[in-house]
mmCIF file of all heavy atoms in Angstrom:
data_model
loop_
_atom_site.group_PDB
_atom_site.id
_atom_site.type_symbol
_atom_site.label_atom_id
_atom_site.label_comp_id
_atom_site.label_asym_id
_atom_site.label_seq_id
_atom_site.Cartn_x
_atom_site.Cartn_y
_atom_site.Cartn_z
ATOM 1 N N ASN A 503 105.106 -92.244 -226.109
ATOM 2 C CA ASN A 503 105.650 -90.912 -226.410
ATOM 3 C C ASN A 503 106.204 -90.264 -225.148
ATOM 4 O O ASN A 503 107.269 -89.651 -225.166
ATOM 5 C CB ASN A 503 104.558 -90.000 -227.000
ATOM 6 C CG ASN A 503 104.401 -90.176 -228.489
ATOM 7 O OD1 ASN A 503 105.375 -90.121 -229.240
ATOM 8 N ND2 ASN A 503 103.163 -90.384 -228.924
ATOM 9 N N LEU A 504 105.459 -90.407 -224.034
ATOM 10 C CA LEU A 504 105.913 -89.812 -222.771
ATOM 11 C C LEU A 504 107.177 -90.520 -222.282
ATOM 12 O O LEU A 504 108.122 -89.867 -221.830
ATOM 13 C CB LEU A 504 104.800 -89.883 -221.717
ATOM 14 C CG LEU A 504 105.199 -89.407 -220.322
ATOM 15 C CD1 LEU A 504 105.664 -87.948 -220.330
ATOM 16 C CD2 LEU A 504 104.044 -89.570 -219.336
ATOM 17 N N VAL A 505 107.199 -91.850 -222.374
ATOM 18 C CA VAL A 505 108.370 -92.583 -221.886
ATOM 19 C C VAL A 505 109.610 -92.194 -222.698
ATOM 20 O O VAL A 505 110.695 -91.957 -222.140
ATOM 21 C CB VAL A 505 108.133 -94.107 -221.937
ATOM 22 C CG1 VAL A 505 109.367 -94.859 -221.448
ATOM 23 C CG2 VAL A 505 106.932 -94.489 -221.081
ATOM 24 N N LYS A 506 109.461 -92.063 -224.011
ATOM 25 C CA LYS A 506 110.601 -91.666 -224.848
ATOM 26 C C LYS A 506 111.087 -90.268 -224.475
ATOM 27 O O LYS A 506 112.283 -89.993 -224.417
ATOM 28 C CB LYS A 506 110.194 -91.695 -226.325
ATOM 29 C CG LYS A 506 110.112 -93.106 -226.886
ATOM 30 C CD LYS A 506 109.492 -93.147 -228.252
ATOM 31 C CE LYS A 506 110.356 -92.485 -229.295
ATOM 32 N NZ LYS A 506 109.709 -92.517 -230.625
ATOM 33 N N ARG A 507 110.140 -89.384 -224.198
ATOM 34 C CA ARG A 507 110.509 -88.003 -223.830
ATOM 35 C C ARG A 507 111.228 -88.000 -222.478
ATOM 36 O O ARG A 507 112.199 -87.276 -222.281
ATOM 37 C CB ARG A 507 109.245 -87.141 -223.780
ATOM 38 C CG ARG A 507 109.517 -85.675 -224.017
ATOM 39 C CD ARG A 507 108.216 -84.905 -224.233
ATOM 40 N NE ARG A 507 107.557 -85.290 -225.452
ATOM 41 C CZ ARG A 507 106.287 -85.674 -225.559
ATOM 42 N NH1 ARG A 507 105.508 -85.696 -224.506
ATOM 43 N NH2 ARG A 507 105.783 -86.020 -226.717
ATOM 44 N N LEU A 508 110.752 -88.830 -221.544
ATOM 45 C CA LEU A 508 111.410 -88.906 -220.227
ATOM 46 C C LEU A 508 112.824 -89.467 -220.369
ATOM 47 O O LEU A 508 113.757 -89.005 -219.708
ATOM 48 C CB LEU A 508 110.581 -89.780 -219.278
ATOM 49 C CG LEU A 508 109.283 -89.158 -218.762
ATOM 50 C CD1 LEU A 508 108.444 -90.203 -218.032
ATOM 51 C CD2 LEU A 508 109.578 -87.980 -217.842
ATOM 52 N N ALA A 509 112.974 -90.468 -221.237
ATOM 53 C CA ALA A 509 114.306 -91.049 -221.441
ATOM 54 C C ALA A 509 115.258 -89.987 -222.008
ATOM 55 O O ALA A 509 116.417 -89.885 -221.588
ATOM 56 C CB ALA A 509 114.210 -92.246 -222.385
ATOM 57 N N ALA A 510 114.763 -89.174 -222.937
ATOM 58 C CA ALA A 510 115.615 -88.135 -223.526
ATOM 59 C C ALA A 510 115.937 -87.041 -222.501
ATOM 60 O O ALA A 510 117.034 -86.478 -222.507
ATOM 61 C CB ALA A 510 114.913 -87.529 -224.742
ATOM 62 N N ALA A 511 114.983 -86.767 -221.603
ATOM 63 C CA ALA A 511 115.183 -85.694 -220.612
ATOM 64 C C ALA A 511 116.087 -86.136 -219.464
ATOM 65 O O ALA A 511 116.598 -85.302 -218.725
ATOM 66 C CB ALA A 511 113.831 -85.237 -220.063
ATOM 67 N N HIS A 512 116.278 -87.441 -219.300
ATOM 68 C CA HIS A 512 117.079 -87.955 -218.172
ATOM 69 C C HIS A 512 118.174 -88.900 -218.678
ATOM 70 O O HIS A 512 118.159 -90.104 -218.383
ATOM 71 C CB HIS A 512 116.170 -88.693 -217.170
ATOM 72 C CG HIS A 512 115.139 -87.817 -216.536
ATOM 73 N ND1 HIS A 512 115.432 -86.976 -215.476
ATOM 74 C CD2 HIS A 512 113.840 -87.617 -216.818
ATOM 75 C CE1 HIS A 512 114.327 -86.305 -215.139
ATOM 76 N NE2 HIS A 512 113.360 -86.679 -215.938
ATOM 77 N N PRO A 513 119.150 -88.342 -219.426
ATOM 78 C CA PRO A 513 120.191 -89.229 -219.973
ATOM 79 C C PRO A 513 121.069 -89.861 -218.890
ATOM 80 O O PRO A 513 121.746 -90.859 -219.148
ATOM 81 C CB PRO A 513 121.018 -88.292 -220.876
ATOM 82 C CG PRO A 513 120.704 -86.908 -220.398
ATOM 83 C CD PRO A 513 119.331 -86.946 -219.833
ATOM 84 N N ASP A 514 121.015 -89.310 -217.661
ATOM 85 C CA ASP A 514 121.817 -89.866 -216.559
ATOM 86 C C ASP A 514 121.103 -91.024 -215.868
ATOM 87 O O ASP A 514 121.623 -91.600 -214.913
ATOM 88 C CB ASP A 514 122.126 -88.767 -215.526
ATOM 89 C CG ASP A 514 120.852 -88.130 -214.965
ATOM 90 O OD1 ASP A 514 119.814 -88.137 -215.673
ATOM 91 O OD2 ASP A 514 120.897 -87.663 -213.812
ATOM 92 N N LYS A 515 119.876 -91.335 -216.310
ATOM 93 C CA LYS A 515 119.126 -92.455 -215.720
ATOM 94 C C LYS A 515 118.794 -93.453 -216.826
ATOM 95 O O LYS A 515 118.736 -93.088 -217.999
ATOM 96 C CB LYS A 515 117.826 -91.934 -215.071
ATOM 97 C CG LYS A 515 118.117 -90.989 -213.911
ATOM 98 C CD LYS A 515 116.972 -90.041 -213.600
ATOM 99 C CE LYS A 515 117.506 -88.835 -212.823
ATOM 100 N NZ LYS A 515 116.551 -87.736 -212.726
ATOM 101 N N ASN A 516 118.549 -94.677 -216.407
ATOM 102 C CA ASN A 516 118.266 -95.734 -217.365
ATOM 103 C C ASN A 516 116.741 -95.892 -217.449
ATOM 104 O O ASN A 516 116.147 -96.607 -216.653
ATOM 105 C CB ASN A 516 118.957 -97.020 -216.869
ATOM 106 C CG ASN A 516 118.813 -98.162 -217.836
ATOM 107 O OD1 ASN A 516 118.513 -97.953 -219.011
ATOM 108 N ND2 ASN A 516 119.022 -99.373 -217.341
ATOM 109 N N VAL A 517 116.127 -95.177 -218.394
ATOM 110 C CA VAL A 517 114.661 -95.152 -218.488
ATOM 111 C C VAL A 517 114.228 -96.037 -219.643
ATOM 112 O O VAL A 517 114.705 -95.877 -220.769
ATOM 113 C CB VAL A 517 114.144 -93.712 -218.707
ATOM 114 C CG1 VAL A 517 112.624 -93.692 -218.811
ATOM 115 C CG2 VAL A 517 114.617 -92.799 -217.580
ATOM 116 N N MET A 518 113.340 -96.985 -219.362
ATOM 117 C CA MET A 518 112.908 -97.908 -220.418
ATOM 118 C C MET A 518 111.384 -98.102 -220.369
ATOM 119 O O MET A 518 110.747 -97.819 -219.354
ATOM 120 C CB MET A 518 113.622 -99.255 -220.274
ATOM 121 C CG MET A 518 113.226 -100.027 -219.040
ATOM 122 S SD MET A 518 114.519 -101.155 -218.487
ATOM 123 C CE MET A 518 115.594 -100.063 -217.582
ATOM 124 N N PHE A 519 110.880 -98.601 -221.473
ATOM 125 C CA PHE A 519 109.453 -98.887 -221.596
ATOM 126 C C PHE A 519 109.181 -100.256 -220.985
ATOM 127 O O PHE A 519 109.969 -101.186 -221.176
ATOM 128 C CB PHE A 519 109.094 -98.863 -223.079
ATOM 129 C CG PHE A 519 107.628 -98.876 -223.363
ATOM 130 C CD1 PHE A 519 106.799 -97.907 -222.837
ATOM 131 C CD2 PHE A 519 107.087 -99.843 -224.190
ATOM 132 C CE1 PHE A 519 105.447 -97.909 -223.116
ATOM 133 C CE2 PHE A 519 105.745 -99.852 -224.473
ATOM 134 C CZ PHE A 519 104.923 -98.890 -223.933
ATOM 135 N N LEU A 520 108.085 -100.384 -220.243
ATOM 136 C CA LEU A 520 107.824 -101.634 -219.518
ATOM 137 C C LEU A 520 107.534 -102.817 -220.439
ATOM 138 O O LEU A 520 107.818 -103.947 -220.100
ATOM 139 C CB LEU A 520 106.660 -101.415 -218.536
ATOM 140 C CG LEU A 520 106.195 -102.623 -217.732
ATOM 141 C CD1 LEU A 520 107.345 -103.217 -216.924
ATOM 142 C CD2 LEU A 520 105.061 -102.229 -216.799
ATOM 143 N N ASP A 521 106.979 -102.550 -221.607
ATOM 144 C CA ASP A 521 106.606 -103.656 -222.493
ATOM 145 C C ASP A 521 107.575 -103.733 -223.666
ATOM 146 O O ASP A 521 108.153 -102.720 -224.058
ATOM 147 C CB ASP A 521 105.179 -103.413 -223.006
ATOM 148 C CG ASP A 521 104.564 -104.664 -223.569
ATOM 149 O OD1 ASP A 521 104.193 -105.543 -222.773
ATOM 150 O OD2 ASP A 521 104.448 -104.769 -224.798
ATOM 151 N N LYS A 522 107.740 -104.898 -224.219
ATOM 152 C CA LYS A 522 108.645 -105.037 -225.353
ATOM 153 C C LYS A 522 108.021 -104.526 -226.645
ATOM 154 O O LYS A 522 108.709 -104.105 -227.568
ATOM 155 C CB LYS A 522 108.999 -106.517 -225.547
ATOM 156 C CG LYS A 522 110.053 -107.011 -224.585
ATOM 157 C CD LYS A 522 110.352 -108.451 -224.921
ATOM 158 C CE LYS A 522 111.410 -109.018 -224.009
ATOM 159 N NZ LYS A 522 111.426 -110.470 -224.054
ATOM 160 N N ALA A 523 106.682 -104.589 -226.722
ATOM 161 C CA ALA A 523 106.008 -104.182 -227.947
ATOM 162 C C ALA A 523 105.759 -102.669 -227.924
ATOM 163 O O ALA A 523 105.594 -102.075 -226.875
ATOM 164 C CB ALA A 523 104.681 -104.916 -228.072
ATOM 165 N N VAL A 524 105.720 -102.074 -229.101
ATOM 166 C CA VAL A 524 105.440 -100.637 -229.213
ATOM 167 C C VAL A 524 104.035 -100.364 -228.699
ATOM 168 O O VAL A 524 103.112 -101.126 -228.948
ATOM 169 C CB VAL A 524 105.559 -100.206 -230.688
ATOM 170 C CG1 VAL A 524 105.092 -98.777 -230.868
ATOM 171 C CG2 VAL A 524 106.997 -100.341 -231.143
ATOM 172 N N CYS A 525 103.862 -99.290 -227.974
ATOM 173 C CA CYS A 525 102.578 -99.047 -227.346
ATOM 174 C C CYS A 525 102.247 -97.560 -227.326
ATOM 175 O O CYS A 525 102.106 -96.951 -226.274
ATOM 176 C CB CYS A 525 102.603 -99.610 -225.931
ATOM 177 S SG CYS A 525 100.996 -99.860 -225.211
ATOM 178 N N PHE A 526 102.140 -96.973 -228.520
ATOM 179 C CA PHE A 526 101.659 -95.593 -228.600
ATOM 180 C C PHE A 526 100.143 -95.608 -228.429
ATOM 181 O O PHE A 526 99.490 -96.618 -228.694
ATOM 182 C CB PHE A 526 101.970 -94.999 -229.977
ATOM 183 C CG PHE A 526 103.423 -94.748 -230.234
ATOM 184 C CD1 PHE A 526 104.148 -95.546 -231.104
ATOM 185 C CD2 PHE A 526 104.080 -93.693 -229.614
ATOM 186 C CE1 PHE A 526 105.490 -95.315 -231.349
ATOM 187 C CE2 PHE A 526 105.423 -93.448 -229.852
ATOM 188 C CZ PHE A 526 106.124 -94.261 -230.721
ATOM 189 N N CYS A 527 99.583 -94.478 -228.025
ATOM 190 C CA CYS A 527 98.127 -94.355 -228.091
ATOM 191 C C CYS A 527 97.790 -93.957 -229.524
ATOM 192 O O CYS A 527 98.132 -92.854 -229.967
ATOM 193 C CB CYS A 527 97.621 -93.300 -227.116
ATOM 194 S SG CYS A 527 95.850 -93.018 -227.328
ATOM 195 N N SER A 528 97.123 -94.853 -230.244
ATOM 196 C CA SER A 528 96.909 -94.626 -231.676
ATOM 197 C C SER A 528 96.035 -93.403 -231.932
ATOM 198 O O SER A 528 96.224 -92.688 -232.916
ATOM 199 C CB SER A 528 96.301 -95.861 -232.331
ATOM 200 O OG SER A 528 95.106 -96.191 -231.680
ATOM 201 N N THR A 529 95.087 -93.136 -231.037
ATOM 202 C CA THR A 529 94.218 -91.982 -231.292
ATOM 203 C C THR A 529 94.921 -90.672 -230.946
ATOM 204 O O THR A 529 94.771 -89.676 -231.649
ATOM 205 C CB THR A 529 92.894 -92.113 -230.523
ATOM 206 O OG1 THR A 529 93.171 -92.478 -229.173
ATOM 207 C CG2 THR A 529 92.012 -93.157 -231.161
ATOM 208 N N MET A 530 95.717 -90.669 -229.878
ATOM 209 C CA MET A 530 96.541 -89.482 -229.573
ATOM 210 C C MET A 530 97.425 -89.158 -230.773
ATOM 211 O O MET A 530 97.652 -88.003 -231.118
ATOM 212 C CB MET A 530 97.441 -89.765 -228.378
ATOM 213 C CG MET A 530 96.767 -89.637 -227.058
ATOM 214 S SD MET A 530 96.777 -87.909 -226.559
ATOM 215 C CE MET A 530 95.963 -88.073 -224.982
#
Side-chain angles (χ1 to χ4, degrees):
N503 275 309
L504 175 60
V505 179
K506 284 170 67 181
R507 205 169 293 128
L508 287 170
H512 297 280
D514 58 333
K515 296 157 201 168
N516 184 19
V517 180
M518 67 206 81
F519 191 57
L520 177 57
D521 197 74
K522 281 183 179 163
V524 172
C525 198
F526 290 107
C527 174
S528 57
T529 47
M530 280 276 181

